[in-house]
Amino acid sequence: MLDAVQLGNNLRAARERRGLSQVQVAEVLNLPRTAVTNIESGNREVSTLELTRLADLYRVSPGHS
């Protein structure tokens, strides 16, 4: 099982592979950019809905590691 920091690192890598900025992701999720920063650094939990939306945006499965 991933901890928050590992999950954040995976999300950051997936975002970068898609060529998206934190601002673009924040706009899609209707969150402040700082929330995306905190998710990626492991300082904020990600809801199941947010994780599903991120997976769709990044074109990966939610269980992708």
Side-chain angles (χ1 to χ4, degrees):
M1 180 174 242
L2 293 177
D3 67 22
V5 173
Q6 291 170 321
L7 177 59
N9 288 337
N10 288 353
L11 290 171
R12 182 184 341 26
R15 175 180 58 77
E16 290 172 349
R17 278 193 303 274
R18 293 285 297 133
L20 298 169
S21 70
Q22 289 181 337
V23 171
Q24 291 170 308
V25 172
E27 288 174 357
V28 170
L29 296 181
N30 198 28
L31 295 171
R33 185 200 52 81
T34 54
V36 177
T37 301
N38 286 331
I39 288 168
E40 290 184 357
S41 63
N43 294 322
R44 180 186 179 282
E45 290 188 14
V46 185
S47 73
T48 304
L49 176 60
E50 290 169 336
L51 189 58
T52 301
R53 293 182 71 200
L54 285 165
D56 288 344
L57 181 62
Y58 299 158
R59 297 184 185 161
V60 296
S61 68
H64 179 79
S65 43

